[in-house]
Amino acid sequence: MLERRQSVAVNVGGVLVGGENPIVVQSMTNTDTADAKATANQIIDLARAGSELVRITVNTKEAAAQVAQIVARVRDAGYNTPVIGDFHYNGHILLTEFKDCAQALAKYRINPGNVGAGKHHDDNFKRMIEVAIEYDKPVRIGVNWGSLDQALLTRMMDENSTSPNPRDARDVTFDAICTSAIQSAQYAEEIGLPRHKIILSAKVSGVQDLIVVYRDLAQRGDYALHLGLTEAGMGTKGIVASTAGLAVLLQEGIGDTIRVSLTPAPNGDRTEEVIVAQQILQSLEVRSFTPQVTACPGCGRTTSTLFQEMADDIGKYLRQQMPIWRERHPGVADLKVAVMGCVVNGPGESKHANIGISLPGTGETPRAPVYVDGKLRTTLKGESIVPEFIELLNQYVSQKYSSQNA
């Protein structure tokens, strides 16, 4: 287990973020929040995939008017997942006018760079904090470098230009990001919001920049921190960039909640960002969410595609079963399954897994030995290898992870 940076724990609608609590997976909808049915359905999809917090955009009066109904729909479907409101520009108005919205949300996300300019900046920010205090809600103060407080940045740039040893403009910008987050949090505390109601984030879109900013932010206080690239990108690029940045910070004990901000493919599945976030944490052995399947990459010895198809089918099967298994079989998320393609590493990897199968490679006898807890259990052959192995897998789960053994 990685040694975590000490932070203050924040209760977000029953989910504890920070302190010694597990790192939390968060996601965000991309529906029009004014469409209560579509938004609630996507929250349910994200929650079913394993998202422990879900954020929604609250940008118009029409959207704010639907928030309470959205949360009610999610609760009626049997999900207690906290719903967070994302506010920019007009949050002080919406939270004041729509009391049902302010009450229904589990947390407010405020961007100090988008609350107004000049005198309005402090007034609007203060109003949102006052609403949070009134309804006993936590707040994430989320700074983005794409919408950084320009007055603060300009002042810090001017001060730097007159310094005897001026810093690089990039360094000043990163300093301004962290300063905006910390000063905003301190101002919120002055207004009356307790520290255990505050989460900070300071998002940028570059991996190295993210690491620099969060290392600095982590040293400036004990606020709980939310991690994520502000725009990770699409597909492989987004997955790799998010993993590269978050893994370094998590390995250093920085971060209390994470989001992988993937750009979905057209008509793509929004839940992909949840699965990637879970896999980052599970690969680092920080948390376990679903049984892991080890499969070889294939080579000239594995001309058959059976092991590829089988690994894919079993991976999907395990994820589909998790909502049921999580309740019935405590600890099953730690299960390790191996689906290997030939004799070179097949038996060895299968023995290292809880349950594994070594399929025949090119020129090998068409037999597939199955190992359970390191020992040969049986050998499968014929056309029914896949269903027979899944049956053995189900038997293993039922016996090994019985609630009576918990």
Side-chain angles (χ1 to χ4, degrees):
M1 203 66 175
L2 303 180
E3 184 176 348
R4 293 271 298 282
R5 158 188 171 269
Q6 291 187 344
S7 63
V8 175
V10 181
N11 188 329
V12 182
V15 175
L16 294 175
V17 175
E20 298 180 354
N21 300 291
I23 297 170
V24 174
V25 172
Q26 180 171 319
S27 61
M28 185 175 184
T29 61
N30 61 356
T31 55
D32 179 358
T33 308
D35 186 339
K37 181 178 180 181
T39 302
N41 286 343
Q42 191 172 85
I43 293 171
I44 292 167
D45 288 343
L46 291 165
R48 187 181 293 119
S51 184
E52 294 156 305
L53 301 173
V54 179
R55 183 159 48 111
I56 63 175
T57 295
V58 187
N59 58 335
T60 65
K61 292 185 177 182
E62 291 76 15
Q66 296 301 316
V67 169
Q69 183 184 156
I70 289 167
V71 175
R73 284 174 175 265
V74 173
R75 299 293 175 264
D76 288 345
Y79 293 88
N80 294 319
T81 309
V83 178
I84 299 160
D86 191 58
F87 295 94
H88 298 269
Y89 309 111
N90 59 356
H92 59 292
I93 297 172
L94 299 179
L95 284 171
T96 300
E97 291 188 6
F98 294 88
K99 298 184 183 302
D100 287 349
C101 168
Q103 179 62 56
L105 292 169
K107 184 178 72 174
Y108 312 149
R109 186 281 176 117
I110 302 173
N111 182 342
N114 288 340
V115 297
K119 180 178 182 298
H120 295 297
H121 178 281
D122 287 355
D123 289 346
N124 295 347
F125 182 85
K126 180 181 180 182
R127 181 58 196 140
M128 285 188 278
I129 296 301
E130 289 173 340
V131 174
I133 294 170
E134 178 182 355
Y135 291 100
D136 194 28
K137 305 293 182 179
V139 169
R140 170 158 74 93
I141 297 173
V143 179
N144 281 2
W145 76 335
S147 51
L148 183 57
D149 183 341
Q150 291 303 300
L152 173 65
L153 178 61
T154 299
R155 186 178 77 247
M156 292 183 67
M157 286 291 188
D158 289 344
E159 292 172 353
N160 182 65
S161 67
T162 60
S163 170
N165 299 299
R167 295 178 292 165
D168 183 83
R170 176 175 175 271
D171 294 335
V172 177
T173 300
F174 292 162
D175 188 4
I177 292 171
C178 294
T179 299
S180 177
I182 294 296
Q183 288 185 352
S184 298
Q186 291 172 342
Y187 184 39
E189 289 191 70
E190 291 174 10
I191 296 168
L193 189 67
R195 182 165 294 210
H196 68 268
K197 293 286 186 180
I198 299 173
I199 297 174
L200 298 185
S201 67
K203 291 190 175 183
V204 294
S205 56
V207 171
Q208 294 293 351
D209 298 341
L210 185 81
I211 295 169
V212 170
V213 168
Y214 271 95
R215 281 174 173 168
D216 185 8
L217 188 60
Q219 293 178 350
R220 297 200 190 194
D222 59 356
Y223 297 101
L225 299 181
H226 169 81
L227 301 186
L229 291 169
T230 186
E231 293 104 8
M234 180 180 286
T236 303
K237 186 269 181 186
I239 294 172
V240 172
S242 293
T243 303
L246 297 185
V248 171
L249 293 168
L250 292 169
Q251 187 71 23
E252 295 179 2
I254 299 171
D256 301 293
T257 174
I258 67 170
R259 183 194 171 202
V260 175
S261 300
L262 293 181
T263 303
N267 301 313
D269 190 344
R270 189 68 167 181
T271 62
E272 182 183 15
E273 68 175 54
V274 178
I275 295 170
V276 173
Q278 290 179 332
Q279 194 60 54
I280 291 172
L281 293 175
Q282 190 145 354
S283 296
L284 290 171
E285 299 182 0
V286 173
R287 290 186 65 185
S288 295
F289 295 94
T290 189
Q292 299 291 282
V293 178
T294 299
C296 65
C299 67
R301 298 180 64 92
T302 56
T303 52
S304 169
T305 60
L306 177 59
F307 81 97
Q308 297 168 308
E309 296 164 356
M310 189 172 179
D312 185 53
D313 289 345
I314 290 174
K316 291 176 181 177
Y317 177 76
L318 293 171
R319 187 164 286 279
Q320 291 170 355
Q321 291 298 109
M322 275 308 293
I324 301 172
W325 283 358
R326 191 177 293 114
E327 300 298 326
R328 297 181 181 176
H329 305 294
V332 71
D334 294 319
L335 174 70
K336 291 180 174 58
V337 181
V339 180
M340 304 301 292
C342 81
V343 74
V344 173
N345 289 319
E349 287 286 356
S350 296
K351 291 176 183 177
H352 288 308
N354 295 108
I355 179 170
I357 185 170
S358 178
L359 296 164
T362 305
E364 295 177 23
T365 303
R367 297 160 64 87
V370 175
Y371 296 85
V372 176
D373 290 332
K375 297 180 180 179
L376 179 64
R377 170 70 175 273
T378 188
T379 300
L380 304 179
K381 56 185 177 180
E383 300 296 323
S384 58
I385 287 178
V386 175
E388 287 182 21
F389 182 74
I390 288 179
E391 178 57 31
L392 290 170
L393 175 61
N394 286 330
Q395 292 175 11
Y396 183 85
V397 169
S398 296
Q399 294 169 4
K400 177 77 172 182
Y401 300 100
S402 168
S403 58
Q404 296 178 355
N405 298 332

